[in-house]
Amino acid sequence: MKLLTGNDLKSGAVIWWDGTGWSLHVEQAADVGGEGDVIAAREGAARRVVAAYVVEAEGTPQGPRPLHIKERIRAIGPTVRPDLALRPADPALGEWVI
Amino acid sequence: MYVYDQFDQAMVDARVAEFRDQVRRRLEGHLSEDQFKPLRLMNGLYLQLHAYMLRVAIPYGTLNSAQMRMLGQIAAKYDRGYGHFTTRQNIQYNWIRLEDAGDILADLASVGMHAIQTSGNCIRNTTSDQWAGAAADEVADPRPYAELIRQWSTFHPEFCALPRKFKMAVIAAEADRAAMRLHDIGIRLVKNAAGELGAQFYVGGGMGRTPMIAPPIRDWVPIDQFITYCEACLRVYNRHGRRDNKYKARIKILVHELGAAEYTRQVEEEFAHLLSQGIEPPAAELARIAAQFTDPPFETGLPDSMDLADPAFARWVRVNVSGHKAPGYAVVTVSLKPAGGIPGDASAAQIELLADLARDHGFDELRVTHTQNVVLPHVRKADLYAIWQRLEATGMGSANIDRIGDIIACPGLDYCSLANARSIPVAQAISARMAAREDEIGELKLKISGCINACGHHHAGHIGILGVDRKGVENYQLLLGGSEGADCSLGTITGPGFDEEGIVGAVETATEVYLARREAGERFLDTYRRIGMAPFKEALYG
Ligand code: SF4
């Protein structure tokens, strides 16, 4: 599957296209199929996202998991600062990223 | 220390106002990202892996306590409570909101700081010896000359669109504590037999994907012509640098392809022409700057002896404290590398404590080192114990300068969008595993980069580690034999790379070879140079 990710223009936060809008949570990301570039261009022009790009992912029972470690780190936060992660208390995060 | 005059302040204030307006226009939709990106980069604002990242310039690594305090306050107010000191003697904040950028720059400007030219194809922040003004072995304080370079290069219209970024370093001692020969231009100040000051020029060094040690191109430039000579070096580069290929655009490639002799010939020709143009800043301007770098009022008659009864303090003094040119004083290097910690990161509270220490004990001066530590350059030996206790209480008391735990590590894949692999966890694992053996191993400089760009100086590590991406999996190459000092050398790759756990074991194996084979007084680097790669390879790969 393919996901669309980018950063929020104002805050810089990593965001994921969920089918109707942008979410901070990768598990809510939608499969954009071949529409990623079109959505990215439209949303970029509307200043709802910056530097958007399409990434490959696999479906899991917990939701989409990007195939490359770089996007998994983007999704969660620096592996060396779990206290800053989106879900700091989740002990399974490390395994999900690496 | 240099204090902004009305012109410096007016320039920086004007830039803040300009960038505020650019941010407003971006947020209101009058500028596209393509239009805005070069503008934000000119102000040090990158879009990184997780958020906007702001890189703030710390000219030649020097700052006063008010500036350091402001860096801590920015970390607390606008970021997530910490900052990251870099190998360019700068600081980076990782979690900046675009909406806050103007306010942050205004706060910086209020203490004479900015983020101008910390990105882009221009002359970046000039680096220097972190012991400048305190070291007994320097022929002059290099900082007035670095400051003159800052003023000459800031907004220099001819050099704001170079083929690639451009980095300069200025030192003034035989010992090289600033990796001078690994810069685009490295300058060493020297004195001739008549006691006059001049500049030696080394041009075309650098790390990255094609590491090169800068060759010397001129032994002596009279000090009242050194900016003109810089301009000549830049002009030849600007004229012939490879704008067609980003990977061949640095001056090191030009010097290499032309040959140092031909590059030098062209520089000399340009220099002769420029001398007729009278472009050197007036001597009075250099004198005005130099007058702000006079020695602080050192007390005389201070004792050199210390009470070293506390063994932990004694060890810290042995490892982190260095000699000073004034009797009774010392240079303190504060380690930002606790065992298992993140190299170069400091919390807002730690940054503010460093400011307090400079105010209370250090004539208000601090330095950031290219090794991602912080220096208190002028401290009375009698105050060392009190300083150490405050550092210990805040997690900055590690006694490991130039030891295996004093690792340079770039942000790597945890923060950097260009990275192939994470650097920080590797540094954490090595420093945690090897901490207890630091005294046994002695001096060993270990440097880690998360990609070929080499921000972590891996080519120049006694042991270097380079993170690579092997089919989506992090992999780490090991290099041995690099050095950034006066004995500058580039490391050699040992062989096939290792996974994350394997690279930690490989480092340990390399140190075992050293311990088994070293002769009296040899550092790791000395033993490697004497016995060569073969015994290390044998131990690593069998
Ligand atoms: S070396 Fe590579 S990964 Fe590390 S900070 Fe530089 S660009 Fe990023």
Side-chain angles (χ1 to χ4, degrees):
Chain A
M1 64 193 295
K2 292 183 192 303
L3 312 180
L4 182 63
T5 183
N7 296 77
D8 181 77
L9 172 65
K10 285 186 191 174
S11 70
V14 173
I15 49 179
W16 305 86
W17 180 250
D18 67 6
T20 54
W22 294 94
S23 169
L24 293 172
H25 304 283
V26 68
E27 58 270 24
Q28 294 170 358
D31 184 354
V32 293
E35 295 300 302
D37 290 344
V38 174
I39 302 169
R42 186 189 71 217
E43 292 293 306
R47 285 171 285 128
R48 286 189 284 265
V49 71
V50 62
Y53 65 105
V54 174
V55 302
E56 296 282 345
E58 60 182 349
T60 75
Q62 292 76 41
R65 180 176 187 264
L67 291 188
H68 200 280
I69 183 175
K70 179 175 177 174
E71 278 74 37
R72 297 199 293 275
I73 292 175
R74 285 186 80 240
I76 300 302
T79 64
V80 293
R81 290 297 302 266
D83 55 315
L84 302 179
L86 271 182
R87 287 174 283 140
D90 186 344
L93 276 185
E95 219 162 279
W96 187 89
V97 174
I98 313 297
Chain B
M1 263 193 62
Y2 185 73
V3 178
Y4 278 8
D5 66 10
Q6 75 214 61
F7 300 107
D8 296 297
Q9 194 65 48
M11 281 168 75
V12 171
D13 289 345
R15 179 52 91 88
V16 173
E18 181 184 63
F19 190 55
R20 261 192 207 289
D21 190 52
Q22 289 161 347
V23 171
R24 179 188 61 76
R25 288 191 285 148
R26 173 70 181 118
L27 292 173
E28 290 176 358
H30 306 302
L31 292 175
S32 69
E33 184 60 16
D34 284 348
Q35 292 167 322
F36 180 64
K37 185 175 173 182
L39 302 175
R40 68 168 158 75
L41 288 175
M42 280 180 212
N43 292 284
L45 194 65
Y46 291 69
L47 187 59
Q48 276 292 7
L49 210 55
H50 305 290
Y52 293 101
M53 179 273 276
L54 181 69
R55 180 179 296 150
V56 176
I58 301 174
Y60 32 93
T62 293
L63 68 181
N64 62 27
S65 66
Q67 292 171 325
M68 188 63 116
R69 193 175 311 288
M70 181 58 79
L71 295 181
Q73 288 170 359
I74 288 171
K77 186 173 176 188
Y78 301 107
D79 202 86
R80 296 194 178 177
Y82 67 107
H84 177 75
F85 290 102
T86 77
T87 52
R88 295 287 305 153
Q89 298 181 301
N90 292 324
I91 189 169
Q92 295 179 176
Y93 298 103
N94 295 303
W95 304 96
I96 295 302
R97 297 168 59 86
L98 181 57
E99 298 164 299
D100 293 334
D103 289 343
I104 299 172
L105 293 186
D107 285 356
L108 288 169
S110 74
V111 292
M113 297 185 84
H114 60 71
I116 295 164
Q117 291 182 202
T118 59
S119 174
N121 294 339
C122 53
I123 301 172
R124 305 286 188 89
N125 184 33
T126 297
T127 54
S128 189
D129 184 341
Q130 65 271 13
W131 294 357
D137 61 352
E138 67 185 16
V139 299
D141 187 336
R143 291 173 302 160
Y145 307 93
E147 172 60 25
L148 195 61
I149 290 173
R150 185 189 75 81
Q151 297 192 15
W152 159 76
S153 63
T154 301
F155 302 146
H156 193 309
E158 191 175 327
F159 305 136
C160 63
L162 292 166
R164 277 291 271 146
K165 57 187 168 183
F166 203 89
K167 301 174 181 178
M168 300 175 66
V170 186
I171 64 172
E174 261 314 303
D176 180 359
R177 292 175 282 263
M180 180 270 287
R181 292 188 68 183
L182 295 167
H183 284 74
D184 296 293
I185 293 180
I187 296 172
R188 173 184 275 121
L189 302 179
V190 287
K191 279 197 171 157
N192 65 11
E196 297 159 332
L197 195 63
Q200 279 177 352
F201 274 72
Y202 296 78
V203 180
M207 291 188 252
R209 77 178 54 228
T210 317
M212 303 225 182
I213 297 171
I217 71 156
R218 210 185 215 250
D219 279 348
W220 177 266
V221 176
I223 204 64
D224 58 2
Q225 298 175 354
F226 96 102
I227 290 288
T228 306
Y229 203 80
C230 290
E231 183 122 352
C233 292
L234 263 299
R235 273 202 165 178
V236 173
Y237 168 55
N238 209 12
R239 193 175 295 146
H240 299 303
R242 293 278 301 271
R243 286 186 162 82
D244 62 318
N245 184 340
K246 176 178 170 185
Y247 301 115
K248 296 194 170 179
R250 296 292 291 267
I251 194 173
K252 62 190 173 188
I253 304 293
L254 179 71
V255 173
H256 182 70
E257 288 187 349
L258 282 179
E262 172 58 18
Y263 172 76
T264 306
R265 189 194 65 74
Q266 295 191 26
V267 169
E268 292 293 329
E269 202 174 284
E270 189 64 42
F271 181 52
H273 165 68
L274 285 172
L275 281 177
S276 70
Q277 305 297 300
I279 64 157
E280 190 72 22
E285 179 59 10
L286 180 57
R288 182 187 74 84
I289 294 169
Q292 301 185 54
F293 288 97
T294 51
D295 282 347
F298 295 125
E299 293 172 54
T300 53
L302 292 177
D304 270 316
S305 58
M306 281 175 282
D307 179 356
L308 297 173
D310 182 332
F313 171 62
R315 181 167 182 273
W316 179 79
V317 169
R318 198 172 68 245
V319 178
N320 291 40
V321 175
S322 311
H324 193 283
K325 66 182 181 184
Y329 285 86
V331 178
V332 170
T333 305
V334 178
S335 171
L336 300 182
K337 321 282 179 66
I342 299 177
D345 272 15
S347 70
Q350 288 175 322
I351 294 172
E352 294 215 34
L353 178 87
L354 290 166
D356 289 347
L357 290 175
R359 179 199 60 201
D360 298 346
H361 300 288
F363 294 106
D364 215 38
E365 269 199 48
L366 297 127
R367 311 285 169 74
V368 178
T369 77
H370 83 273
T371 57
Q372 304 177 283
N373 293 313
V374 169
V375 162
L376 295 162
H378 310 297
V379 168
R380 290 191 312 183
K381 287 184 177 169
D383 293 348
L384 284 172
Y385 192 69
I387 290 171
W388 173 74
Q389 285 182 308
R390 291 171 77 180
L391 291 170
E392 271 283 279
T394 49
M396 293 189 287
S398 296
N400 61 1
I401 297 305
D402 291 342
R403 302 297 196 263
I404 193 167
D406 182 14
I407 298 170
I408 290 181
C410 78
L413 193 52
D414 279 299
Y415 292 98
C416 175
S417 55
L418 300 175
N420 285 325
R422 290 170 300 149
S423 307
I424 297 168
V426 174
Q428 290 177 300
I430 293 170
S431 69
R433 187 182 297 188
M434 305 303 286
R437 304 184 65 186
E438 279 174 343
D439 279 348
E440 182 191 1
I441 295 168
E443 182 183 313
L444 198 166
K445 299 186 182 181
L446 200 155
K447 306 175 197 270
I448 310 176
S449 303
C451 82
I452 195 71
N453 289 326
C455 305
H457 294 191
H458 64 276
H459 298 293
H462 299 178
I463 295 179
I465 295 173
L466 168 64
V468 296
D469 180 338
R470 225 174 59 185
K471 296 188 184 132
V473 178
E474 295 166 297
N475 193 263
Y476 297 91
Q477 291 179 348
L478 185 67
L479 297 88
L480 303 177
S483 172
E484 85 285 27
D487 59 349
C488 194
S489 59
L490 300 171
T492 303
I493 296 173
T494 56
F498 302 87
D499 65 14
E500 187 183 349
E501 179 57 30
I503 190 67
V504 181
V507 166
E508 191 166 26
T509 301
T511 61
E512 296 293 354
V513 173
Y514 155 66
L515 291 171
R517 302 286 301 269
R518 74 174 162 191
E519 294 182 352
E522 278 186 344
R523 304 167 299 164
F524 178 92
L525 183 63
D526 303 322
T527 302
Y528 170 81
R529 285 176 173 167
R530 179 174 55 77
I531 68 176
M533 180 65 91
F536 292 94
K537 266 192 153 159
E538 173 66 22
L540 287 164
Y541 303 106

